[in-house]
Amino acid sequence: RVSSRLRMSKAKTAPITLDMLQNLVKRDPAGYEDEVSRRLRHFQALLSILEESPSTDTHEFVPLLGFISHVSPCYPKLASGVPNQLGELLDAQHDALDPTVRRALLQALVLLRNRGMVPALELLQRCFRLLRCRDKIMRSRLYSHIVADVKAVNLKHRDEKLNRTLQNFIIGMIDEPSKIAAKYSLRVMVELYRRNVWRDAKTVNVVAGALFCPHTKLRVTALHFLLGAHDDVAEDSDDEETNDKVASLRGAVARDGVSNK
């Protein structure tokens, strides 16, 4: 009996883990608002450290980030500034941050977007800007989110305002100095066309405009698209006829580059 009482006493005095607190918050948000507020202040202090010194080893930041992103929808007023703080940190320090932190920040923003705390257009434009980062895994996740979210936004009815704004935004991305960001932006246009999300004249015109960009790979992609090979590649990227078509396009672009010198 004594040992049983000791175990119960230790259980009552043991510190609450983030996972435990997250479950408690979902059951009773009002009852744990003070505790969440304290954790949020600590989280914002860690954010400030990363803003000043992004390479700082803050081992507790990623678990706390996951907790804050999950419970923020329970406290929309208290956590109203969280999405913007996360986005600004990524915008300012994306290449300097540890890859784990960088990717966790993106995951948190996507979660907050799914919970209605981040407008679709705001996060999509931020994701396009972040395609400049020197992190291949991060760029792949950004690309996947952009395609999936644009498709989701247009699933029930077309959001023409978002589509036009984003297509105009992509035009600027294709023309920018970052070849990698331009390449991914063009890939988004082609993929959304292939998926019948942006299958319109505006998309065709934007992709066609890439024929005049300074990056050879983008000109190849644009030619590939205009010749109708995008659906062939999507169905079977190992098809010999498709590969021959792509090879001939690369040769044409290379010859064009030589003749223009």
Side-chain angles (χ1 to χ4, degrees), residues 76-206:
K77 290 184 179 180
L78 182 65
S80 60
V82 169
N84 195 49
Q85 290 171 330
L86 302 184
E88 287 181 349
L89 176 60
L90 265 177
D91 281 343
Q93 304 288 2
H94 54 81
D95 277 331
L97 289 166
D98 180 85
T100 302
V101 173
R102 180 168 53 236
R103 296 164 195 169
L105 285 166
L106 174 62
Q107 184 178 350
L109 283 171
V110 171
L111 175 61
L112 293 171
R113 153 75 185 119
N114 294 337
R115 300 291 180 83
M117 291 192 69
V118 183
L121 181 60
E122 178 183 312
L123 182 55
L124 285 167
Q125 289 178 327
R126 176 161 275 138
C127 285
F128 272 107
R129 292 195 298 270
L130 289 170
L131 287 171
R132 301 163 182 152
C133 72
R134 298 190 296 269
D135 182 341
K136 188 174 182 180
I137 294 175
M138 179 77 165
R139 291 195 302 269
S140 177
R141 292 180 182 179
L142 289 164
Y143 171 81
S144 296
H145 170 71
I146 291 170
V147 172
D149 204 31
V150 173
K151 183 179 179 180
V153 168
N154 288 278
L155 191 59
K156 293 182 179 179
H157 60 85
R158 288 182 61 80
D159 189 331
E160 297 295 352
K161 183 178 179 181
L162 180 142
N163 292 337
R164 285 195 306 272
T165 303
L166 207 54
Q167 286 169 334
N168 290 331
F169 188 83
I170 292 174
I171 293 172
M173 291 297 300
I174 292 174
D175 290 337
E176 80 153 45
S178 172
K179 181 170 65 175
I180 293 176
K183 180 185 74 172
Y184 272 92
S185 298
L186 188 62
R187 278 182 59 193
V188 168
M189 295 290 288
V190 173
E191 182 63 15
L192 290 173
Y193 183 92
R194 189 183 72 80
R195 295 193 184 196
N196 290 312
V197 180
W198 281 358
R199 209 168 185 102
D200 52 25
K202 177 80 170 180
T203 301
V204 175
N205 290 335
V206 172

Side-chain angles (χ1 to χ4, degrees), residues 5-104:
R5 288 175 183 174
L6 284 173
R7 284 196 299 270
M8 291 176 64
S9 177
K10 288 180 181 180
K12 289 180 180 179
T13 59
I16 300 177
T17 66
L18 290 175
D19 288 338
M20 292 169 58
L21 183 57
Q22 182 176 317
N23 290 328
L24 292 170
V25 165
K26 290 179 179 179
R27 297 174 192 170
D28 181 16
Y32 291 90
E33 185 170 355
D34 289 343
E35 178 64 18
V36 171
S37 180
R38 185 180 70 81
R39 305 269 182 158
L40 181 59
R41 287 194 299 271
H42 180 53
F43 174 73
Q44 289 171 333
L46 294 178
L47 268 180
S48 297
I49 293 173
L50 286 172
E51 287 170 359
E52 296 296 325
S53 180
S55 59
T56 301
D57 180 18
T58 52
H59 62 279
E60 58 184 324
F61 177 78
V62 171
L64 192 53
L65 170 63
F67 168 76
I68 294 296
S69 61
H70 275 89
V71 303
S72 287
C74 299
Y75 308 96
K77 290 184 179 180
L78 182 65
S80 60
V82 169
N84 195 49
Q85 290 171 330
L86 302 184
E88 287 181 349
L89 176 60
L90 265 177
D91 281 343
Q93 304 288 2
H94 54 81
D95 277 331
L97 289 166
D98 180 85
T100 302
V101 173
R102 180 168 53 236
R103 296 164 195 169

